[in-house]
Amino acid sequence: MATVVVVLSSTWLYRGVQDFNDVIAEKLLMLNSKSAVVTLAEEAPSGRDPAVWHVGLKIAWDIKTPGLAMPLDQGDCYFMLDDLNRTHQHCVLAGRQPRFSSTHRVAECSQGTLPYILDRCRTALQNLQGNDDLRPSSLKSLNALDIKQVEETHNEVEFEWLRQFWFQGRRYRKCTDWWDKPIATLEELWRKMELMVGISWRLS
């Protein structure tokens, strides 16, 4: 079986920012998969002694045991092996210098991918009957399961994709604009499903 390694986050982080590792739904990751994080800091100006970046580690849901903070030097990579990522929480504490970081886990690809959500949208939009100017005349089916599928897909696109992108994705443009076109496509599909949800509410 092929192993897929997914980069969960790859961002520039600036001074004064605490990067608490992006919250990724465990359903999108292989159970107990190992985690690897690499960090590269911008070179410090000559003569400066910037505050050092640290990785913080604590036992999950334990408010009594003190956490641990370990310094991250240029080029360091830390791993969370076996079930450590499940039993412990970790975060990165900002130093003064900008830093590039990427997090790697083994992905479970049946959900949470771009092809997956586009396919979900296409399936939901099969219930749309109308023209192309976003003024549909009706739904092909008023079956409760068909309407539920549209509403669930509409919510998934909005809350798991669009809101996530506009909340944190704009900063990724410093590295790449690759996501701009897929997000524009998802916004267009979301608008059509928004109208479908409105039709179902008016008919209910």
Side-chain angles (χ1 to χ4, degrees):
M1 182 177 66
T3 299
V4 178
V5 177
V6 62
V7 179
L8 296 186
S9 64
S10 186
T11 60
W12 278 104
L13 302 169
Y14 291 89
R15 69 189 66 159
V17 176
Q18 284 190 325
D19 171 30
F20 289 91
N21 212 45
D22 292 344
V23 177
I24 305 295
E26 288 294 325
K27 69 179 181 180
L28 303 181
L29 302 170
M30 295 298 291
L31 183 63
N32 294 334
S33 71
K34 299 166 179 59
S35 177
V37 181
V38 64
T39 179
L40 295 171
E42 188 178 85
E43 292 294 334
S46 177
R48 288 185 66 186
D49 181 24
V52 179
W53 288 77
H54 286 72
V55 57
L57 189 69
K58 67 177 290 291
I59 300 173
W61 309 112
D62 183 345
I63 61 174
K64 295 181 179 180
T65 305
L68 179 67
M70 297 164 286
L72 288 172
D73 293 325
Q74 171 75 349
D76 276 357
C77 182
Y78 67 87
F79 298 87
M80 301 184 72
L81 303 178
D82 298 321
D83 65 348
L84 188 64
N85 196 55
R86 180 177 61 82
T87 59
H88 290 69
Q89 296 170 312
H90 69 291
C91 66
V92 176
L93 305 175
R96 291 182 187 170
Q97 296 307 111
R99 156 193 174 271
F100 185 85
S101 173
S102 61
T103 302
H104 305 257
R105 290 282 300 275
V106 180
E108 196 289 294
C109 297
S110 64
Q111 300 181 52
T113 64
L114 184 59
Y116 155 82
I117 195 62
L118 291 175
D119 185 62
R120 288 265 290 168
C121 291
R122 283 190 288 267
T123 300
L125 289 171
Q126 289 177 357
N127 197 32
L128 174 63
Q129 180 172 292
N131 51 36
D132 295 329
D133 62 1
L134 294 185
R135 289 194 298 273
S137 57
S138 64
L139 301 178
K140 293 178 181 177
S141 168
L142 295 179
N143 181 281
L145 291 178
D146 293 329
I147 292 174
K148 183 171 183 266
Q149 181 185 47
V150 172
E151 292 180 347
E152 288 178 346
T153 305
H154 174 258
N155 285 338
E156 184 173 2
V157 170
E158 178 175 345
F159 292 101
E160 301 297 329
W161 292 85
L162 300 182
R163 287 177 182 260
Q164 295 297 321
F165 177 80
W166 290 113
F167 176 70
Q168 60 184 345
R170 283 177 290 184
R171 64 183 179 176
Y172 297 158
R173 286 200 180 107
K174 298 178 186 296
C175 302
T176 178
D177 61 358
W178 188 91
W179 275 103
D180 288 1
K181 186 174 180 180
I183 291 298
T185 298
L186 287 172
E187 286 176 337
E188 181 67 18
L189 296 172
W190 178 87
R191 279 190 284 269
K192 291 183 178 181
M193 288 185 287
E194 176 86 348
L195 289 171
M196 294 173 73
V197 170
I199 291 172
S200 66
W201 276 98
R202 287 196 298 271
L203 296 175
S204 62

